[in-house]
Amino acid sequence: MSSITVRNPFDLSTVGEVPLMSEAEAFAALERAHALHGDPAHRIPAHERLAILERLATLMRTHAEALVRDAVREGGKPWADSVVEVERAIDGVRWAARELAQLGGREVPMGLTPASAGRLAFTVREPRGVVLAISAFNHPVNLIVHQAVPAFAAGCPVLVKPASATPLSCRNVLRLMHEAGVPEAWATMLPCAAATAEKLVADPRVAFLSFIGSSRVGWHLRSKLAPGATCALEHGGAAPVVLDASADLDAALPLLLKGGFYHAGQVCVSVQRVFAPHETARTFAERLAAAAAQLPTGDPMRHDTAVGPLIDPREVSRVHEWVEEARAGGGTVLCGGAPLSETLYSPTVVYDPPQGCRLARNEVFGPVVAVFSTRDRDEAIARANDVPFIFQAAVFARDVDVALDTARRLNATGVMVNDHTAFRVDWMPFGGRGESGMGTGGIGPAMHEMTTEKLIVLRSPAWA
């Protein structure tokens, strides 16, 4: 295979071809990036990086519609949601510029002992080195911004391997970076084979790995890193929601509808498991199902489509297998529960699937929400925590003490109170623990992780 054929996940038509980079070409790009980092003469001053980021944001605004169009055609996220994604990506570039202006060191106190007298100590932040970013398909514009832009802003050359399903958006973003003034060797797309990417990960010239994808692949790649290299891994989870007896269910319903079925559930923090008191669980599940059944599902290019295709027909078959397993175990399918076509799966709500089924324990990554009946809040929290994933969770409660207590007890890196699990703004820290990953995403946190702290101690009698 000499190129990647990019297909529209809705109708499977060909929308583009991207040349496949050979292993030799990929390692040549790594050597160029490594040489840039090692030569002070090629470093780009902060003020120039700031100017480039400002131009990039302007260029992305100018080309926003084209960015949206290609993202929809190759990734299948509905048009309206892709418009929001591109807006977020533009804001992310601007936020990187703001973070760069704040990226600095700190004073380390001296003179606290006789031995430390006469010294001034402070730290500065320096780029770690070459960043290798391996990306995912589900946010094809914004994920590239979240991986490549912080690297450049922090002063690190970056190599980006896009998801094989969505390389066009990556190419679009990097071309705009180059047009804005980023030298091509500082931000290079690597549309290479998985085996080549794995060899790159193990190369000692890679200082930082940014990986978004499956847990199995992420932890495997981490094991291949050279000594001294660091990483940030984002693997997703099976996001839980606890509905307290005091919750405003009318307010919760549209939020959980959006959080569960946005991008056909192909989001790492999609609402998947809702735990509700047994007095209201079935009624709430039926209301959610009635709303889900009305979601416009189909061609993502239509501006009124709410739920588009899954990224690959094999995913439609897999999701249906999980739903059938939940049904066979005693779960009640209240809506959906069947493929609509080779590429579309109907928005589905399952009531009380068995705790041991995959839908109850693993990330479905499809348009399926499970609602569970629980005796009390303690049981809801225990069942929410009874998975190996630690990512974002949510609680709905009008009682503030209950909300805070639940937020404290939920095993999560982020808890949304009276909001869905998929809420995110680009300056907040974002990432998982356990099987969900390690390290912290978000524009500012990523820039911090892509730099390292150097201590400088100045000894001078004038400072005594």
Side-chain angles (χ1 to χ4, degrees), residues 10 292-300 304-309 340 344-347:
F10 174 66
Q294 298 301 312
L295 290 171
T297 303
D299 186 350
D304 62 343
T305 295
V307 180
L340 295 175
L344 293 168
Y345 198 81
S346 52

Side-chain angles (χ1 to χ4, degrees), residues 236-252:
V241 177
V242 173
L243 294 180
D244 179 61
S246 70
D248 182 343
L249 299 183
D250 291 336

